[in-house]
Amino acid sequence: KNQVEQSPQSLIILEGKNCTLQCNYTVSPFSNLRWYKQDTGRGPVSLTIMTFSENTKSNGRYTATLDADTKQSSLHITASQLSDSASYICVVSSFSGGYQKVTFGTGTKLQVIP
Amino acid sequence: EAGVAQSPRYKIIEKRQSVAFWCNPISGHATLYWYQQILGQGPKLLIQFQNNGVVDDSQLPKDRFSAERLKGVDSTLKIQPAKLEDSAVYLCASSPRTYDRPETQYFGPGTRLLVL
């Protein structure tokens, strides 16, 4: 069964600090891994996407890493801002029967405090 | 470019009542997804359409949930009858294709359902 596990479940950090969120997956066959940001009351928005051959992808202050051998990914947020407060969801995709199938993690809820 | 539209944004019903949600995907997007997101959890796929055909509905509780995508554009998700555990946010997403390269899912704002 395809699964995506994230840690920690929740995190509180001070504004300006860095943090790292973790994602472990057992999805096969692997196609790509995305990190989404979901603000309260809104739908998820894609931050980064990485395929099997990519091990790092940056989007501003967000840097995602992927180790396809250990099936782990991390999302590093640099110099956090209050607007980074949100849930961050790791999503792993596979292709089956010609169609993309996605498996969502449960998310990490990040709160940035002044 | 207009995003994914959903309505209503909020709905409160009593258990055993029926409810329907509507989704209008981004123009030209062939794939449409309905997700159920219970508070504190990640989204769970209910059904995936490719144009007007169903690709995956393995996690759709078919005894009470139904969905259709007429003409491969708009979609409706219905719950009949609703149970207390159906209280959740129902997210609709669309993506342009599902072939051999990854594509991004674009999510609507969701419909927040409360069953009393």
Side-chain angles (χ1 to χ4, degrees):
Chain A
K1 181 181 177 182
N2 291 339
Q3 284 188 315
V4 177
E5 296 180 350
Q6 293 187 241
S7 62
Q9 192 171 13
S10 62
L11 183 62
I12 301 174
I13 62 172
L14 292 174
E15 185 180 10
K17 297 296 185 181
N18 303 335
C19 67
T20 301
L21 314 180
Q22 300 291 340
C23 172
N24 297 335
Y25 63 91
T26 55
V27 174
S28 182
F30 175 86
S31 173
N32 60 81
L33 184 147
R34 298 179 187 275
W35 283 94
Y36 282 84
K37 178 185 179 187
Q38 185 174 22
D39 292 312
T40 300
R42 293 177 175 265
V45 174
S46 181
L47 292 175
T48 64
I49 176 174
M50 288 180 292
T51 58
F52 186 86
S53 58
E54 299 173 296
N55 54 27
T56 301
K57 186 69 71 78
S58 291
N59 178 1
R61 295 179 296 100
Y62 301 102
T63 299
T65 65
L66 173 65
D67 186 333
D69 291 331
T70 62
K71 298 186 177 180
Q72 295 179 326
S73 176
S74 65
L75 180 69
H76 186 74
I77 304 175
T78 304
S80 61
Q81 300 176 359
L82 298 179
S83 58
D84 293 331
S85 296
S87 288
Y88 292 83
I89 305 174
C90 176
V91 182
V92 183
S93 297
S94 62
F95 274 93
S96 176
Y99 300 102
Q100 175 177 256
K101 303 252 176 139
V102 295
T103 304
F104 281 73
T106 54
T108 292
K109 186 165 186 175
L110 173 66
Q111 187 177 356
V112 181
I113 58 176
Chain B
E1 178 182 72
V4 176
Q6 289 187 247
S7 67
R9 290 297 311 276
Y10 305 93
K11 190 74 177 179
I12 301 174
I13 62 173
E14 293 184 346
K15 60 183 179 183
R16 290 188 289 273
Q17 285 187 321
S18 301
V19 65
F21 312 129
W22 173 81
C23 173
N24 181 240
I26 293 174
S27 177
H29 280 195
T31 310
L32 186 146
Y33 309 79
W34 280 103
Y35 291 90
Q36 179 192 61
Q37 186 173 25
I38 294 173
L39 186 65
Q41 299 182 18
K44 182 184 92 170
L45 178 68
L46 292 175
I47 190 166
Q48 177 180 345
F49 290 96
Q50 176 76 10
N51 296 311
N52 60 353
V54 175
V55 171
D56 185 355
D57 63 356
S58 57
Q59 297 192 88
L60 185 74
K62 299 180 185 64
D63 58 333
R64 297 184 301 106
F65 286 65
S66 65
E68 59 181 7
R69 190 182 184 197
L70 299 176
K71 301 180 181 179
V73 183
D74 293 6
S75 177
T76 56
L77 176 69
K78 297 180 181 178
I79 307 175
Q80 181 179 9
K83 292 184 176 181
L84 297 177
E85 58 261 36
D86 297 332
S87 295
V89 175
Y90 291 84
L91 293 165
C92 179
S94 69
S95 61
R97 60 186 180 274
T98 58
Y99 299 126
D100 60 349
R101 59 176 61 183
E103 74 274 353
T104 296
Q105 290 180 309
Y106 296 85
F107 284 83
T111 294
R112 188 174 298 273
L113 173 67
L114 178 61
V115 182
L116 302 176

